[in-house]
Amino acid sequence: MGGTMLTFTRRRRAWFRDRTALVTGGSRGLGLLIARELAAHGARVAICARDGAELARAVEDIRDATGSRVTPFVCDLADTRQVDGLVDAVRKDFGSIDVLVNNAGIISVAPVESVAPEQFEAAMDVMFLGPMRLTLALVPDMRARGDGRVVNVTSIGGRIAAPHLLPYDCAKFAAVGFSEGLRAELAGSGVSVTTVVPGLMRTGSHRAARFGGQPEKEYAWFAAAASLPLLSMDAERAARAIVRAAARRRAELVLTPAAKAAVLAHGIAPATTVRALALATRVLPDAPADPQTGSPAGSSADGGDGVSADVPGTVARERGTPAWSRKAAVLGERAARRFNEPGPQGT
């Protein structure tokens, strides 16, 4: 029985060999690791991201790890013309895509008083509208062939709205709805859709996140939470689980025990879960005196006093992070260096 299951699993993983996979946000963090895992399974991998230099480093990383050739595409999913251009370029280079992994994301961490409408719009563009356009452009070819995989990497924030992450939450809620609805509509077509709902993972993404309100304090709690072993998951293990779920055509994959417990609790007692989140909000940093700028009253929003409404994680860290947070984030910092996340001062 065990041998039969092992053979079945190998056969499923072998499906990726000589198939073409496109991973958005594939230059760093979880996207880089998913692309690496797909390449290790024999797929022809294309990755896209906004930063050409990051993409070049990712291509080298995947080649060194797997010996596979990877094709990079510079694309900002928030730009409709660039998404259309990506579709055209991919079709020109590969003819068709067999596996689409929608992974690109941006994270804004701040109390709602310090969040601008534009940050909600940017989050929706990158994590919902862009992936939606890309998916709708590529799925018809999959349906015509009667085979394909779509993997939508959403978040526990798309099931339970975590405080101080509202733009991210809203975009991820939309992504979950799109992913689950798309799976239902594609049932029987040969195209499977897998909704991935990760909890916190040790990718080092706290360096790339943007922080408002009181940036240094917001960075301190977020970096620690995203790094602690009991709260976060090893990103390489997560990437393996995601590729395995795609091979098995799973409808949903919830990652981390904490995320599974939270989804269960919210399903059983949603009002109680929301009350618990309200209590958690009380221990998070307060909004500054001037919520429109993210700065204390009377100061400028340009960072002249060391405070800004939209600060990169690398900058927030360098401005001053408490010793407890630096110690708690050790594993996350190691992951950041390994998985091509931004370095000091955004370099």
Side-chain angles (χ1 to χ4, degrees):
M1 181 67 176
T4 302
M5 287 300 297
L6 182 60
T7 300
F8 186 52
T9 299
R10 286 175 175 169
R11 192 173 299 159
R12 277 177 165 170
R13 292 183 182 180
W15 183 89
F16 293 109
R17 185 168 300 281
D18 297 326
R19 306 274 183 160
T20 301
L22 171 62
V23 182
T24 70
S27 65
R28 54 182 169 85
L30 182 62
L32 169 62
L33 295 174
I34 292 172
R36 189 195 293 174
E37 187 72 11
L38 288 166
H41 281 74
R44 297 187 299 270
V45 177
I47 58 176
C48 75
R50 292 177 293 184
D51 189 306
E54 273 188 3
L55 281 167
R57 292 194 298 270
V59 167
E60 184 177 351
D61 173 281
I62 297 170
R63 184 190 62 211
D64 291 346
T66 67
S68 300
R69 174 178 170 269
V70 180
T71 304
F73 294 94
V74 176
C75 178
D76 182 353
L77 292 179
D79 187 323
T80 303
R81 288 177 297 179
Q82 290 192 40
V83 173
D84 292 342
L86 173 64
V87 172
D88 292 342
V90 165
R91 284 176 172 158
K92 180 179 179 181
D93 281 19
F94 296 103
S96 62
I97 292 293
D98 301 294
V99 184
L100 171 62
V101 181
N102 288 309
N103 168 78
I106 57 174
I107 304 175
S108 296
V109 186
V112 67
E113 299 94 331
S114 299
V115 178
E118 291 78 14
Q119 288 171 286
F120 284 89
E121 293 168 2
M124 292 296 291
D125 283 342
V126 173
M127 293 182 284
F128 173 60
L129 294 174
M132 175 271 294
R133 293 187 189 102
L134 185 59
T135 302
L136 295 184
L138 296 178
V139 160
D141 289 342
M142 295 182 186
R143 294 191 73 167
R145 296 192 306 274
D147 199 9
R149 306 285 199 277
V150 177
V151 179
N152 294 313
V153 180
T154 65
S155 169
I156 185 62
R159 288 290 183 81
I160 303 168
H164 288 219
L165 289 164
L166 277 187
Y168 181 83
D169 293 337
C170 291
K172 290 299 188 179
F173 262 83
V176 168
F178 175 69
S179 188
E180 292 182 349
L182 186 66
R183 181 180 177 88
E185 295 215 24
L186 294 179
S189 70
V191 182
S192 66
V193 180
T194 299
T195 305
V196 181
V197 184
L200 292 167
M201 287 178 293
R202 294 189 294 279
T203 62
S205 61
H206 57 279
R207 285 190 179 183
R210 313 288 293 196
F211 297 87
Q214 300 185 65
E216 295 83 358
K217 291 182 179 180
E218 295 286 353
Y219 175 87
W221 77 260
F222 186 81
S227 303
L228 290 172
L230 293 179
L231 292 177
S232 63
M233 180 181 185
D234 175 78
E236 289 176 306
R237 186 158 63 92
R240 290 193 294 270
I242 290 168
V243 172
R244 188 163 57 245
R248 294 175 177 175
R249 296 182 179 271
R250 284 187 57 175
E252 180 180 87
L253 175 66
V254 181
L255 293 170
T256 80
K260 291 177 182 178
V263 169
L264 179 62
H266 190 263
I268 295 173
T272 301
T273 305
V274 172
R275 283 195 292 270
L277 292 172
L279 291 174
T281 303
R282 295 181 184 180
V283 303
L284 296 178
D286 294 329
D290 186 348
Q292 293 302 315
T293 65
S295 306
S299 65
S300 65
D302 62 5
D305 63 345
V307 181
S308 172
D310 189 26
V311 176
T314 49
V315 176
R317 181 179 186 274
E318 293 302 315
R319 285 182 178 178
T321 307
W324 67 264
S325 177
R326 287 180 180 259
K327 290 179 181 178
V330 166
L331 293 179
E333 286 295 309
R334 290 177 185 171
R337 291 189 290 271
R338 293 173 58 203
F339 306 146
N340 201 26
E341 295 288 356
Q345 297 296 321
T347 61

